[in-house]
Amino acid sequence: MSRNPDHSWKLFFLRLLGLIAFMLAMALCWSLAYWVTNFFYSNGNLNLSEYFKGIINTVLGFVFFFLLAWIIRFKKPRQYDFFDAFRNAINRIAKGDFKVNLDFKLKHQWGELIDGFNHMAEQLNQMEQMKQEFISNVSHEIQSPLTSISGFARALHNEQLTQQQRLHYLEIIETESKRLSKLSDNLLRLTSLEAVQQPLERKTYRLDLQIRGIILACEPQWLEQEIEMDVELGKAEITADEDMLSQVWMNLISNAIKFTPAGGTITVQLKQEGNELVVHVSDTGIGITEEDQGRIFERFFKADKSRNRGKGGSGLGLSIVQRIIDMHQGKITVKSHFGEGTTFTVRLPVAVADTKSPHS
């Protein structure tokens, strides 16, 4: 590769200036040595040969030169402090300590480098906290059903249990086992969706027919709770990953059924607005507090823990939903009033562009 001529000239002049500065420093030190020795010769009535005077001047000149070099080294500029701090910060990050911050105010590219490094350290620290929280949440979610399974399995050893009690304990063990299995499936699905290489298998299909099929698949649940289904699905085609979007509608509709009391109403609407398809899933359930609305898409977060008591949720469903919608370059929002119901709104482009899925 050919080198930049301007860069070569700049490097040449920098080296030339460095050489000139070195020679001036040497001349200054030897001049200072000459004046000092002459002062002592004149005032001390010393009569030395020119040979010894030259040796003394040379030695003293070197002393002054090394003293000057030591002072310059000791009074190193702020850039040297920055390099030391930067090296230490990198070593801390390499050891897993991401709570670092470079407090330097430098100009131009150095300032941009400091800002970029501090931002990187902040992001790494947030990721580390998320990882620790994720591990803690997984451990908690796994420990709960395992405790139930272990406890009721031990209870089955009691020979005085009635047949009805045994069947009840076995039913609980089976339910908790399914809960563990669902948690494992959701974790694997979320991990797969968050992989950079996760592809979208695009196809053109009728979105209204897909949503209608999901509603019919959930019919036993909403009929059992005597929930009224208000469905308004306009004819609409979309080019997207059919299997992934099926998970979105299944999750949103299942959640609406889960948290809507008997005799309530669930409304599902689909319409087209320009180049977007808009889906509303509304319920007359218990709603979500304003505080929790900003966190419901976080992994393992359960808005108002009492809502999930006995529901068997893992807190991963809406995280999966948001990830799938992000991959389709869409958007999901929630609007809710506690005690009055909830509405999820999904906006999707009619045709998803063929780009790599974003990595969250």
Side-chain angles (χ1 to χ4, degrees):
M1 295 178 60
S2 59
R3 301 182 64 179
N4 189 337
D6 293 337
H7 178 75
S8 299
W9 277 109
K10 288 180 180 179
L11 185 62
F12 170 76
F13 280 117
L14 286 175
R15 290 177 176 175
L16 180 60
L17 288 174
L19 179 61
I20 293 174
F22 175 80
M23 294 176 65
L24 288 175
M26 292 285 288
L28 176 63
C29 292
W30 262 257
S31 298
L32 181 61
Y34 176 79
W35 292 330
V36 169
T37 53
N38 272 356
F39 174 80
F40 282 104
Y41 296 153
S42 301
N43 293 276
N45 296 321
L46 297 176
N47 189 14
L48 298 176
S49 67
E50 294 297 326
Y51 174 76
F52 284 106
K53 288 182 179 181
I55 292 178
I56 294 173
N57 287 349
T58 301
V59 172
L60 192 58
F62 274 114
V63 170
F64 287 151
F65 179 79
F66 286 117
L67 182 62
L68 177 64
W70 181 83
I71 293 174
I72 293 175
R73 174 69 178 177
F74 183 74
K75 299 288 186 180
K76 59 183 178 181
R78 187 164 172 79
Q79 286 87 340
Y80 286 98
D81 294 333
F82 160 68
F83 288 135
D84 290 340
F86 190 70
R87 183 175 60 253
N88 292 334
I90 291 176
N91 290 334
R92 287 175 60 184
I93 287 179
K95 295 177 181 178
D97 179 9
F98 305 116
K99 296 180 180 179
V100 296
N101 183 72
L102 294 176
D103 187 16
F104 286 88
K105 303 297 181 184
L106 300 180
K107 298 180 180 179
H108 307 303
Q109 291 89 346
W110 292 115
E112 295 177 3
L113 175 63
I114 292 173
D115 292 340
F117 181 87
N118 288 336
H119 178 70
M120 178 195 71
E122 181 181 357
Q123 294 297 312
L124 287 173
N125 188 42
Q126 290 180 3
M127 290 178 63
E128 178 67 16
Q129 292 177 355
M130 289 175 61
K131 184 186 76 172
Q132 296 299 329
E133 184 179 359
F134 178 78
I135 294 173
S136 176
N137 288 331
V138 170
S139 300
H140 174 76
E141 291 294 331
I142 291 177
Q143 188 61 38
S144 180
L146 283 178
T147 300
S148 296
I149 292 172
S150 176
F152 286 105
R154 286 196 304 269
L156 287 174
H157 289 288
N158 187 351
E159 297 180 355
Q160 297 179 358
L161 291 176
T162 64
Q163 182 66 14
Q164 184 178 0
Q165 288 176 318
R166 289 184 182 277
L167 291 176
H168 176 63
Y169 291 171
L170 287 171
E171 183 179 350
I172 293 175
I173 291 175
E174 183 180 6
T175 300
E176 294 300 303
S177 298
K178 290 180 180 178
R179 180 180 166 190
L180 271 177
S181 178
K182 185 177 180 180
L183 174 62
S184 175
D185 290 342
N186 284 337
L187 283 171
L188 290 173
R189 184 178 294 114
L190 187 59
T191 301
S192 175
L193 291 173
E194 289 183 340
V196 179
Q197 300 85 1
Q198 176 69 18
L200 291 179
E201 297 181 4
R202 297 169 182 79
K203 60 180 291 188
T204 301
Y205 67 94
R206 288 274 298 276
L207 183 60
D208 56 307
L209 296 181
Q210 182 187 42
I211 296 176
R212 192 178 301 275
I214 298 296
I215 295 173
L216 292 175
C218 297
E219 185 175 8
Q221 288 92 330
W222 52 266
L223 280 181
E224 181 182 0
Q225 295 183 220
E226 299 179 349
I227 294 175
E228 180 183 351
M229 298 295 296
D230 184 6
V231 182
E232 300 178 17
L233 302 175
K235 181 179 178 180
E237 285 192 346
I238 189 172
T239 301
D241 191 307
E242 185 175 9
D243 290 338
M244 285 190 181
L245 287 186
S246 177
Q247 297 177 45
V248 171
W249 316 129
M250 177 61 75
N251 188 287
L252 294 179
I253 294 172
S254 296
N255 276 354
I257 296 172
K258 185 186 301 183
F259 299 116
T260 299
T265 302
I266 294 176
T267 302
V268 183
Q269 297 176 323
L270 167 62
K271 58 183 178 180
Q272 184 166 347
E273 296 180 359
N275 292 325
E276 284 187 331
L277 296 176
V278 184
V279 179
H280 299 285
V281 180
S282 305
D283 63 62
T284 57
I286 60 179
I288 307 170
T289 63
E290 185 176 352
E291 179 183 0
D292 287 340
Q293 289 178 39
R295 300 191 59 195
I296 58 173
F297 296 107
E298 295 179 12
R299 290 177 291 189
F300 292 107
F301 181 76
K302 299 180 182 180
D304 184 5
K305 305 300 186 292
S306 61
R307 299 174 75 238
N308 298 278
R309 194 170 295 150
K311 303 293 186 180
S314 65
L316 289 174
L318 288 178
S319 297
I320 294 173
V321 165
Q322 186 181 49
R323 177 58 185 161
I324 292 174
I325 293 174
D326 287 344
M327 293 174 67
H328 284 78
Q329 300 151 29
K331 184 179 180 181
I332 181 171
T333 56
V334 59
K335 184 178 181 181
S336 180
H337 297 285
F338 190 67
E340 298 180 11
T342 302
T343 298
F344 284 93
T345 300
V346 177
R347 294 181 175 272
L348 293 168
V350 173
V352 181
D354 187 11
T355 59
K356 291 184 179 180
S357 61
H359 184 56
S360 59

